[in-house]
Amino acid sequence: QVQLVESGGGLVQPGGSLRLSCAASGDISRINTMGWYRQAPGKQRELVATITRGRNTRYADSVKGRFTISRDNAKNTVYLQMNSLKPEDTAVYYCNAPDRYGLSDYWGQGTQVTVSS
């Protein structure tokens, strides 16, 4: 089993920045790719960004050029630097890591990001 714990959410004004962190613990050998999803009220959960252990990245079109995903493999931690935040970025952000051997994905508990003036 793998546990994911997020931190770094909060309230920020439009145009501001936040940095989310997600620390993985447990049987780390079961995961490779880590990523972030988000879910706004009344909407489905959507992919934000993913990063492999080799640091290959993928982004949703809506965040390209504004968000940067990175990871520290020594600390088993993934980060999401969010710049130029917009009100439509308001959501609960979840850390995710698929199980390499086909079990269910691992999810964090979620952290609230609110972009509002």
Side-chain angles (χ1 to χ4, degrees), residues 1-4 23-34 53 71 73-77 97-101 106:
Q1 286 287 344
V2 175
Q3 294 78 44
L4 303 175
S25 61
D27 191 355
I28 303 301
S29 67
R30 301 196 69 89
I31 62 174
N32 177 354
T33 297
M34 296 181 70
R53 185 169 291 274
R71 68 189 287 169
N73 289 331
K75 295 182 179 179
N76 298 314
T77 299
D99 185 280
R100 294 173 62 189
Y101 304 106
Y106 302 103

Side-chain angles (χ1 to χ4, degrees), residues 68-84:
T68 301
I69 190 169
S70 61
R71 68 189 287 169
D72 184 333
N73 289 331
K75 295 182 179 179
N76 298 314
T77 299
V78 63
Y79 306 96
L80 186 68
Q81 177 66 43
M82 304 184 293
N83 298 328
S84 302

Side-chain angles (χ1 to χ4, degrees), residues 31-106:
I31 62 174
N32 177 354
T33 297
M34 296 181 70
W36 293 92
Y37 286 69
R38 66 187 181 185
Q39 187 166 18
K43 295 187 176 181
Q44 289 191 336
R45 193 171 296 189
E46 63 176 3
L47 171 74
V48 176
T50 63
I51 185 168
T52 67
R53 185 169 291 274
R55 297 183 174 83
N56 292 312
T57 59
R58 181 164 67 111
Y59 294 93
D61 288 343
S62 58
V63 306
K64 282 180 180 177
R66 300 188 298 122
F67 291 11
T68 301
I69 190 169
S70 61
R71 68 189 287 169
D72 184 333
N73 289 331
K75 295 182 179 179
N76 298 314
T77 299
V78 63
Y79 306 96
L80 186 68
Q81 177 66 43
M82 304 184 293
N83 298 328
S84 302
L85 282 160
K86 305 174 181 180
E88 51 263 44
D89 294 317
T90 295
V92 178
Y93 283 70
Y94 296 92
C95 184
N96 167 271
D99 185 280
R100 294 173 62 189
Y101 304 106
L103 296 182
S104 297
D105 285 14
Y106 302 103

